[in-house]
Amino acid sequence: MSIDIAVVPVAGLGTRLLPATKSQPKEMLPVGRKPVAQHVVEELALSGIGRLLFVTGKGKHSIENHFDTDGDLITYLRESGREQALAELDFERQEMEYFYTRQRRQLGLGHAVLCAAPLVGKQPFVVALGDSIIGLNAQSDIVARMTALFETTGADVVVAFEEVPRDEVFRYGIAKPRGSVDDVFDLESLIEKPAVDEAPSNLAVAARYVFNPVIFDKLAETRPGKGGEIQLTDAIQTILSEGGKGLGVRLHPHERRYDIGNFGSYFRAFVDFALADPQFGDGLREHIQALLERP
Ligand code: G1P
């Protein structure tokens, strides 16, 4: 059976986005018309994912509420003839099963993924970080490409990568590729947030992974690493160093990763999605052009 379950960690505190995230999760911030989490779910649905397990935490209830079917709202919109607004709720009917579990202590991304172990069990699975959208309007099949590769190659782990400027490698998990780097490449090793002069490349982990469930065993053994947190990158590195097979898949040039983890990249993501809006994009473009031309 092909891989159809994705774990979406959304337990992070979002402190880099305060005060916007003081009482709402960063995954519910709007990017264009939709909250980040909805873009992520739509991207995963495009790639054939049918079951989603959110790993949530304190203050994240609005994510669960968002994916509920709101019968009262539907009735109200139907009775008041608001067909357009009704159409905006189409995503509620998406054929997706939702599951939720909580990370009860903030021990890092690796620990959040480990919280999914009792529910995922012994099947291969996808991890999609809930604060990153791949592709404009989430129109990316990166996860489908990764799961296909996982199944045909017998890899233990497949990771998505994007090239980042050299002076920004310290923000990401960075790959050391084995051999030449094409759209798909062999992973020799992986290091979390290296210093600029220690980074083996500028290929940065881009928020999407496919795992053999053996990752859970490795996560259970992983000690706190960078920032005192249990790092997913470190558990992947254990698999690689023990002879496991890891593959990297590069995002296509048109397939940007929109990172909603800090204001700089959040603002850029919002502007890109808003400019692509069929109703308001052109007007916004004119507004920005006029602003930029103002002396
Ligand atoms: C996490 C991962 C890192 C990855 C990044 C973007 O870091 O630990 O390896 O490059 O996401 O996908 P964070 O942004 O949570 O610090």
Side-chain angles (χ1 to χ4, degrees):
M1 195 185 105
S2 57
I3 300 169
D4 82 328
I5 184 160
V7 173
V8 184
V10 290
L13 295 174
T15 47
R16 279 176 287 175
L17 289 165
L18 282 169
T21 52
K22 183 162 178 286
S23 64
Q24 69 174 338
K26 63 179 169 180
E27 295 81 7
M28 287 306 291
L29 292 175
V31 178
R33 293 185 182 219
K34 301 170 186 173
V36 181
Q38 189 180 334
H39 286 297
V40 172
V41 169
E42 289 180 359
E43 179 207 318
L44 294 172
L46 265 187
S47 277
I49 297 296
R51 292 178 295 157
L52 271 177
L53 172 54
F54 283 99
V55 182
T56 73
K58 190 171 161 233
K60 302 281 179 168
H61 281 308
S62 55
I63 299 176
E64 298 170 44
N65 296 342
H66 188 72
F67 293 104
D68 281 352
T69 305
D70 188 337
D72 291 345
L73 181 59
I74 289 173
T75 306
Y76 166 73
L77 293 174
R78 188 165 292 136
E79 284 173 357
S80 52
R82 308 265 302 277
E83 294 304 321
Q84 178 63 32
L86 208 51
E88 297 297 342
L89 296 179
D90 263 358
F91 73 94
E92 287 183 357
R93 288 201 288 274
Q94 207 158 41
E95 285 211 11
M96 183 70 82
E97 282 185 277
Y98 297 93
F99 303 89
Y100 303 90
T101 189
R102 274 171 83 102
Q103 182 185 27
R104 295 165 62 210
R105 289 192 297 160
Q106 293 284 322
L107 298 178
L109 175 60
H111 178 258
V113 172
L114 185 56
C115 292
L119 290 153
V120 172
K122 299 222 170 296
Q123 60 187 319
F125 64 103
V126 168
V127 168
L129 305 190
D131 64 356
S132 290
I133 306 163
I134 312 291
L136 185 64
N137 288 329
Q139 294 296 302
S140 165
D141 67 351
I142 181 71
V143 167
R145 302 200 311 269
M146 293 167 72
T147 53
L149 194 69
F150 182 93
E151 282 159 2
T152 53
T153 61
D156 295 297
V157 45
V158 179
V159 183
F161 288 93
E162 61 177 341
E163 289 181 55
V164 298
R166 269 270 162 193
D167 57 355
E168 289 181 21
V169 290
F170 67 92
R171 297 183 200 279
Y172 303 99
I174 299 291
K176 179 174 187 190
R178 184 182 290 117
S180 60
V181 175
D182 223 324
D183 283 351
V184 175
F185 60 92
D186 265 331
L187 260 183
E188 184 174 321
S189 61
L190 205 57
I191 176 169
E192 182 68 10
K193 303 192 173 84
V196 172
D197 55 359
E198 283 166 12
S201 75
N202 66 337
L203 291 162
V205 174
R208 300 291 181 268
Y209 312 77
V210 186
F211 289 115
N212 178 309
V214 75
I215 190 74
F216 291 133
D217 301 332
K218 303 304 165 193
L219 282 167
E221 294 162 8
T222 301
R223 316 278 9 123
K226 268 274 147 61
E229 298 190 338
I230 296 175
Q231 296 289 349
L232 185 55
T233 297
D234 293 348
I236 300 172
Q237 174 53 24
T238 305
I239 291 180
L240 298 175
S241 67
E242 291 175 352
K245 185 179 172 64
L247 294 175
V249 179
R250 282 205 302 181
L251 297 184
H252 290 152
H254 65 271
E255 230 171 13
R256 285 201 30 214
R257 182 177 74 92
Y258 294 96
D259 176 358
I260 319 302
N262 63 74
F263 279 116
S265 54
Y266 170 53
F267 289 167
R268 285 195 293 276
F270 193 97
V271 169
D272 279 14
F273 280 53
L275 284 173
D277 189 275
Q279 192 178 357
F280 297 110
D282 287 346
L284 178 64
R285 184 166 291 103
E286 282 166 27
H287 172 72
I288 292 174
Q289 259 154 4
L291 274 181
L292 294 176
E293 282 159 17
R294 199 179 279 171

